[in-house]
Amino acid sequence: MTRELSYVGKPIPRADAIDKVTGSASYTHDLCLPGMLHTALVLSPHASARIVAIDSQNAEALPGVRAVLTGRGLCYQLGLYMQDKCILARDVVRYQGEAVVAIAADTLDIAKAACQLVEVQYDLLPTVLDPREAMDASAHLVHPDLHTYEHMEGVFFPKAHTNIAHHQKIRKGSFDQAFEGADSTLTASFYNPPVQHVPMETHVSVAQALPGKRMEIWTSSQSPYTVRHLMSVCFDLPHAHVRVHVPYVGGGFGGKAGLGLEPLAYVLSRAAGGRPVKVAATREQEFNTLPSRQGLHSTIEIGASRDGKIVALKSTYVWDAGAYADYGVNIGRAAAYSGAGPYSIDNCWIDSFVVYTNKIFGTAYRGFGHLEILWGIERAMDLMARRLGMDPAEFRRRNLLKDGDTTITGEAFTSGHGNPLQCLESVAEAIDWGTPSEPSVDSYKVRGKGLAMLHKAPAMPTYTSCAVVIKLDEDGGGDILVSGVDYGQGTYTVLRQIAAEELRIPIEKIHITWECDTAFSPYDWQTVASRFAYMGGNAVIQAAADCLEQIRSVASQALNVAPEDLDFEDGVVFPKSDPTRGIPYSKLTLGYTFANGNSIGGPIIGHGRFIAKGLTHLDPETGQGLPAQYWTYGAHAVEIEVDTQTGEIEILNIVTALDAGKVLNPKLCIGQVVGGVVQGLGSALWEGFVFDAKGRFLNAGFVDYKIPTAKDIPRHMQQILLENPQPGGPYGARGVAEHPMISVPSAIGNALYDALGIEFNTLPLNYERILTRIKEKVEPS
Amino acid sequence: MHTIRFTVNGHVEQATVPATMTLLDLLRDRLALTGTKEGCGIGECGACTVLLNGNPITSCLMLAVEADGSDIETIEGEAIGGELSVLQQAFIDEGATQCGFCTPGMIMSARGLLNRIPDPSHEEIIEAIAGNLCRCTGYEAIISAIQLAAARLSQDIGSRDAQEGRAR
């Protein structure tokens, strides 16, 4: 008999909302410790230069200055996947905006004034800005010592004495032969510029070096345990000597995964005699000092049969890693194993190169490379469909993965993966696909429709794990301890729902503290990859079961009933045969006391854990293996209106379908979809870094870099959440938080062709680009 | 240094500040009202929005000395005696907050709007929050929350907000 769910699947409001609407939610941004120092940075004005000399004497002499650091004394190499980064630039600068000197002082004003007194002498070096040119044998090497860098062995393959930090290959079937034999072929190239995450809270860390080789860190991070681990390894301290607190976090979107400003805050504190030091990025530094999303040049080659079956697909991805590629290498890897889209391709060849350049470096950003690769793939699918004279939806229908197919890495696709075809059909129906748009009321505006598929799996190490502890309280409630971070996704609320469901107690009695503290919260790898609800949810189910077993054991003795004859409901354990003899949990959570005073049991603390199952490294030559714990599929369909006088696009309607497996909380899930779609609009229509010929970043701030505002949202947004359950997922759920952003640009690009008859292969689709192309079409030069 | 007097959330305050100090720093660093956030420091993101004599302003662009003699409201004054305002409750009910960093500024902009226009149109709501950036929500739930608050306030003239005279 299936028990009716009380909390899972219900629109439970966020538990953190009350702190956030009252201003009492405390972020690292708000933290002020006694004696805390503030930090300002001297940034490199050059994209590539040797540091000849740094004169900081005058800065050091300024009253109130407590520490002045340069890269010279900081001989550390940092990184999670690829240890290629210094704390401050050492000997050379590799991008404009790189931090060269850091000064901690009593006040921020003093620190800034001191920075003005520092003189840095540079000798300019050659600059390499285009990653395709950076692959040339003669190109300037951004990292001449790449061959000496430590990295995750067997997973990443840096090429010595080149700018290639990683090359991931996928080889399946025989591409060349199939491509040559195809009835119709297509080759097309696409470009995504680097963009910024733009969390509303910029990166900020506070660190204090403590006596006895210990440190304490408060940081706006997605990764408390990864920060702890990397700090411990970097500074050669026992893990338990590094205590990391993560209070409320003001947005992350991947940009706060791994290490950020923590090492710098720590070395400054050490240099300042152990005073706590805050390093808070300005908004400008958030753009031009801290990492971005990588740029991507992609070339897609497709061979298809006359009847619309793809027989061969080749993708070449050249990632613009920028100056460092710690995370970039893993994005390059994920892009390869996802690199053919959600399609069944027998003959596939993918090369994904992660290439150093002298630009701001890249990192994880919501979707982890998939928005970028699917910009190319999903535009190419439309191009190929037209070449075949076939409807783009029908062409996709004939190629989508279905039960019995294998993915490009050799994974068997089953119905447990979800249903990409149902996603496609859902959005096509909702947008009335096949029926042309109604003409605009304005004669100078034209309309069009487009659609695009999306897919993504969590990109994570094969051993990714997490743990959950549930402590039961005197009142029969429970506290969940986790160190995955809820920086807005709503995962903590979902974990509370699952705990309440499993423990059979009212949700009001389940609590999660909005501060992770590695001293008390159990291990979690890091909060990325849309994996927290899946892995944390499974760990909560196990921890709750552990609690119930402990309750069962004590209650069985208290009631003199066999353990298997007990059941649980509404915070009470009772004999199945006589529910009236129940004992409330509150009489058991600390131990049970008999009438004569004898006591049994003791405080109940449950433990649950989860580790990724069955994942393998990918074969270095063919990419075959199992990279994904689960896949999430989806689709968008859009209807747009283009102003041919200005190039402005208005989104009339965007429909998104995602196969969530099980919607754990519809309100929060729709919140993720709407937020993701609008963030995707930013990538589609406005966002992109602009550099000059010398590698100087020209739009590093909100004045020149526009993100979507309330004025820019679509007229209509519709969300369709499908529930084809994920085997092994908590209640059948799979991750969905990153996915809504992916393929938003692709669908809009496809709709633009429908509206204008012009192919756009470069993002963003801003007014200037569109208007220029419209004018070219009207008056060919 | 300049000595200024003003009220914040109804309390009379006096402070001696340098001419260069912003109102935002005065609120956050001197008065420990950290509910007001700094998102950019140049008046582009709206996270630092507070009400000055009832009107929303970006406090990072105003010098503290300019606030002399004025009446300032911050997010900390929105709930009274631990009781949420109708606007705050609407933000919770509509799921209008995710990371929450823009929320205080967003609520203050909405409060300024409802002070001026108790029954704002969709366009007026969008106009009122167009200067408040949110990277998480996609704005839709925020717009709905403001609509919901306006509707609840108009239906319930006996509400606490109305009694406080806050949705004139």
Side-chain angles (χ1 to χ4, degrees), chain A residues 188-341:
Chain A
S189 293
F190 303 89
Y191 177 63
N192 302 64
V195 303
Q196 232 286 321
H197 309 74
V198 193
M200 292 317 298
E201 182 190 34
T202 60
H203 279 69
V204 50
S205 299
V206 177
Q208 185 165 21
L210 296 167
K213 294 189 86 182
R214 292 177 302 129
M215 72 171 89
E216 197 155 357
I217 294 171
W218 295 260
T219 185
S220 185
S221 168
Q222 301 173 217
S223 313
Y225 269 89
T226 296
V227 168
R228 185 177 90 145
H229 175 65
L230 295 178
M231 292 295 283
S232 152
V233 169
C234 177
F235 296 104
D236 194 23
L237 301 176
H239 281 73
H241 282 199
V242 181
R243 181 172 176 188
V244 180
H245 306 258
V246 176
Y248 277 109
V249 174
F253 314 113
K256 293 176 181 170
L259 271 182
L261 295 169
E262 299 87 358
L264 179 59
Y266 170 66
V267 293
L268 283 166
S269 173
R270 207 172 55 175
R275 286 176 67 169
V277 172
K278 186 181 220 174
V279 185
T282 64
R283 181 56 62 183
E284 188 179 351
Q285 289 164 354
E286 189 71 18
F287 276 93
N288 73 2
T289 303
L290 287 150
S292 63
R293 187 170 78 197
Q294 302 182 114
L296 173 66
H297 295 270
S298 51
T299 300
I300 313 287
E301 296 164 69
I302 299 176
S305 65
R306 220 165 275 115
D307 62 354
K309 177 76 187 121
I310 298 174
V311 296
L313 186 144
K314 182 175 190 173
S315 303
T316 308
Y317 297 123
V318 179
W319 294 94
D320 188 351
Y324 302 100
D326 176 22
Y327 249 91
V329 294
N330 201 30
I331 296 164
R333 177 177 178 272
Y337 68 67
S338 291

Side-chain angles (χ1 to χ4, degrees), chain A residues 501-544:
Chain A
E501 198 73 64
E502 295 288 324
L503 287 166
R504 318 264 177 102
I505 56 181
I507 193 163
E508 297 74 29
K509 294 185 118 177
I510 300 284
H511 308 276
I512 297 192
T513 301
W514 250 266
E515 173 169 322
C516 299
D517 179 344
T518 56
F520 301 111
S521 316
Y523 178 83
D524 183 284
W525 174 57
Q526 51 181 350
T527 322
V528 297
S530 306
R531 58 162 277 283
F532 185 25
Y534 178 96
M535 296 183 80
N538 276 322
V540 164
I541 290 171
Q542 204 180 77

Side-chain angles (χ1 to χ4, degrees), chain A residues 718-780:
Chain A
Q718 184 184 343
Q719 303 80 35
I720 300 169
L721 300 171
L722 306 176
E723 295 190 308
N724 297 298
Q726 174 70 36
Y731 294 82
R734 52 178 80 87
V736 291
E738 296 167 284
H739 304 75
M741 181 167 179
I742 301 167
S743 288
V744 169
S746 321
I748 295 172
N750 291 340
L752 256 185
Y753 179 83
D754 189 42
L756 296 173
I758 301 174
E759 303 288 5
F760 288 87
N761 293 359
T762 297
L763 290 177
L765 303 165
N766 55 24
Y767 298 11
E768 181 185 1
R769 191 181 314 284
I770 291 170
L771 193 60
T772 306
R773 294 288 304 281
I774 290 173
K775 288 191 167 169
E776 279 170 11
K777 192 182 172 195
V778 177
E779 312 154 27

